Structures are given as C-alpha cells and as structure tokens.
C-alpha cells in the first residue's frame, strides 16, 4: 500500500469527555427550562391576583405605594360626589379615614353615595392623599355581601 491511499482521520475524543459535554448541555437546557417555567408561574400568578387595599391600608402605605397603580376599596361618602368636566370627584371612606378620589370618565350606572366601590388608579404623589382614578367598580353582588359582611356596610349602618 502506498502512503497516498491512507486516509487520515481526525482523532476521536475519548468517550468519557463526550459524555461529560452531553450531560453538561442537558443540565444547562434543564436549568433554562426550569427557570423559564418558574418565571412564567410567578408572572402568571402575580398578575392574576385580584387584590385591593382598603382606605386605611392605602393611607398607611402611601409613601411606599407612591404613584404605582393599585385598587382602593372604600364606601362612597354621602355628599362628596361632584361631577367635573372630565369625570367625577368624590371621597371614599373606611371608618374615620377618607381619601379624595378624582376619577376621569363616566362612573358606572350603579354609582351612588353609601355604596362600596373599588377604584383603580394611584396617589397623585407619594405625599398626596388624592387618589387619581380612571376606573370605578361597584360592588353589588349578594355573594360578595355574604362573603364580606363587614366590608359592605355603609357608614350609616345600612347594607347594600
């Protein structure tokens, strides 16, 4: 045989080195997949939670809430509803604590004094007590009243 007929082949790495690389790749892929799954679960569950702060909670945490958007629950104070050119101003209360709300847009048809509402918005600033809102949700379900009887009593003691 002549030297021309011999084909040189690249050296084959040992089997153990190839297996280690394959295992390492599988671990990296598994870690990425687990990380992505955890991220999706945390983001999905975090954004699907439907919570709100009561008036006293919001006032107590006003500095930390700053101007971030959240939901504020309270009862509409009688005599506080004022129509404006851009919406409605009113006050919500829980016990003796009250928060003035400036809402843009039209309030829902069931909106009135002495009813529990949830408003979506933010404080005008981290030191301001004025809550700027763009959505009013009226609570009126009998299921809600049965589940939260202490939350839906109007300041005059009536239940809606």
């Amino acid at each position: 045989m002549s030297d021309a007929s011999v084909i040189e082949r690249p050296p084959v790495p040992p089997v153990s080195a190839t297996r280690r690389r394959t295992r390492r790749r599988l671990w990296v892929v598994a870690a990425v997949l687990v990380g992505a799954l955890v991220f999706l679960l945390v983001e999905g569950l975090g954004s699907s939670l439907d919570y709100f702060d009561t008036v006293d909670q919001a006032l107590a945490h006003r500095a930390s809430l700053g101007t971030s958007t959240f939901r504020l629950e309270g009862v509409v104070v009688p005599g506080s509803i004022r129509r404006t050119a851009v919406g409605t101003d009113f006050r919500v209360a829980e016990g003796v604590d009250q928060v003035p709300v400036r809402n843009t847009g039209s309030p829902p048809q069931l909106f009135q004094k002495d009813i529990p509402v949830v408003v979506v918005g933010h404080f005008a600033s981290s030191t301001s007590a004025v809550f700027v809102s763009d959505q009013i949700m009226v609570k009126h379900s009998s299921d809600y009243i049965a589940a939260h009887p202490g939350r839906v009593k109007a300041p005059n003691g009536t239940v809606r």
Side-chain angles (χ1 to χ4, degrees):
M1 274 177 110
S2 69
D3 289 334
S5 65
V6 176
I7 301 173
E8 292 206 21
R9 297 189 178 145
V12 177
V15 174
S16 62
T18 304
R19 284 185 184 157
R20 276 185 276 179
R21 267 189 263 137
T22 302
R23 284 187 189 143
R24 192 177 311 137
R25 286 180 186 157
L26 287 175
W27 278 109
V28 168
V29 169
V32 168
L33 289 175
V34 167
L37 181 64
V38 168
F39 173 78
L40 290 173
L41 285 173
V42 168
E43 285 298 310
L45 291 175
S47 64
S48 69
L49 292 176
D50 195 16
Y51 72 95
F52 51 83
D53 286 342
T54 59
V55 170
D56 64 338
Q57 291 170 335
L59 289 173
H61 301 111
R62 180 177 35 203
S64 63
L65 289 169
T67 58
S68 62
T69 300
F70 66 98
R71 294 174 182 202
L72 175 68
E73 180 215 23
V75 175
V76 179
V77 176
S80 68
I81 300 172
R82 305 275 182 263
R83 304 289 178 198
T84 65
V86 294
T88 306
D89 290 351
F90 59 97
R91 296 174 91 69
V92 291
E94 177 185 12
V96 296
D97 293 328
Q98 293 188 6
V99 171
V101 177
R102 287 192 186 131
N103 184 70
T104 56
S106 298
Q109 187 175 0
L110 296 174
F111 180 76
Q112 60 184 331
K113 65 179 181 175
D114 277 338
I115 63 165
V117 295
V118 173
V119 289
V120 180
H122 56 87
F123 283 115
S125 73
S126 59
T127 57
S128 173
V130 176
F131 191 80
V132 180
S133 168
D134 59 1
Q135 183 180 7
I136 301 171
M137 294 180 280
V138 176
K139 296 185 208 174
H140 54 77
S141 162
S142 60
D143 294 336
Y144 183 88
I145 292 171
H148 306 286
R151 288 189 178 164
V152 295
K153 287 186 178 177
N156 65 6
T158 62
V159 177
R160 303 262 174 158

